[in-house]
């Protein structure tokens, strides 16, 4: 009892109702704020994870492209080596009959 009377007072009931209303408004505000901060934290986490995943994907892609380029370069150098080796063999075969005929 706010007014100090033993029987129920209309003013006390109205004050209690107003106090309950203020408390409910405050609790609702606090709850909405917590929900908002939870959503904000979730959004921030999503942005950070997205950035991290994009960065990781970009790194992996660049590593894959470097590996692919190295493999292609190896294959091309091997073909050139084989082509040069075959060309040298053909050139040596062309020269041998001339050297053999002169001897």
């Amino acid at each position: 009892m706010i007014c100090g009377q033993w029987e129920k007072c209309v003013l006390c009931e109205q004050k209690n109702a107003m106090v309950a209303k203020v408390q409910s408004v405050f609790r609702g505000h606090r709850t909405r704020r917590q929900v908002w901060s939870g959503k904000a934290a979730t959004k921030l986490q999503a942005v950070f994870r997205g950035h991290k995943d994009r960065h990781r994907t970009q790194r992996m892609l660049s590593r894959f492209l470097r590996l692919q380029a190295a493999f292609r370069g190896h294959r091309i150098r091997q073909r050139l080596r084989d082509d040069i080796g075959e060309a040298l063999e053909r050139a040596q075969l062309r020269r041998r009959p001339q050297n053999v005929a002169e001897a």
Side-chain angles (χ1 to χ4, degrees):
M1 282 190 227
I2 296 174
C3 64
Q5 296 178 358
W6 290 104
E7 65 270 354
K8 284 198 170 183
C9 175
V10 175
L11 289 176
C12 290
E13 288 180 12
Q14 288 177 350
K15 287 180 182 178
N16 287 339
M18 287 175 38
V19 167
K21 178 68 176 167
V22 169
Q23 285 177 344
S24 69
V25 167
F26 178 73
R27 286 184 186 133
H29 172 71
R30 188 174 56 192
T31 303
R32 282 191 301 276
R33 190 171 175 94
Q34 287 174 347
V35 168
W36 179 84
S37 64
K39 285 183 180 179
T42 304
K43 286 181 183 179
L44 183 62
Q45 283 177 348
V47 167
F48 181 73
R49 286 180 182 158
H51 171 73
K52 195 167 74 171
D53 287 343
R54 280 190 300 276
H55 189 67
R56 182 177 21 198
T57 304
Q58 185 179 6
R59 259 192 329 214
M60 289 174 61
L61 183 62
S62 66
R63 288 176 184 168
F64 175 73
L65 291 177
R66 267 190 261 137
L67 180 65
Q68 191 178 29
F71 181 73
R72 284 181 178 170
H74 174 73
R75 252 190 350 198
I76 289 172
R77 285 190 299 276
Q78 190 175 19
R79 285 181 190 163
L80 287 174
R81 230 180 291 130
D82 292 345
D83 291 345
I84 291 172
E86 289 174 7
L88 283 174
E89 285 179 14
R90 277 187 255 131
Q92 287 173 353
L93 288 176
R94 281 189 222 134
R95 288 185 181 174
R96 280 188 188 160
Q98 293 172 356
N99 292 341
V100 172
E102 291 177 6

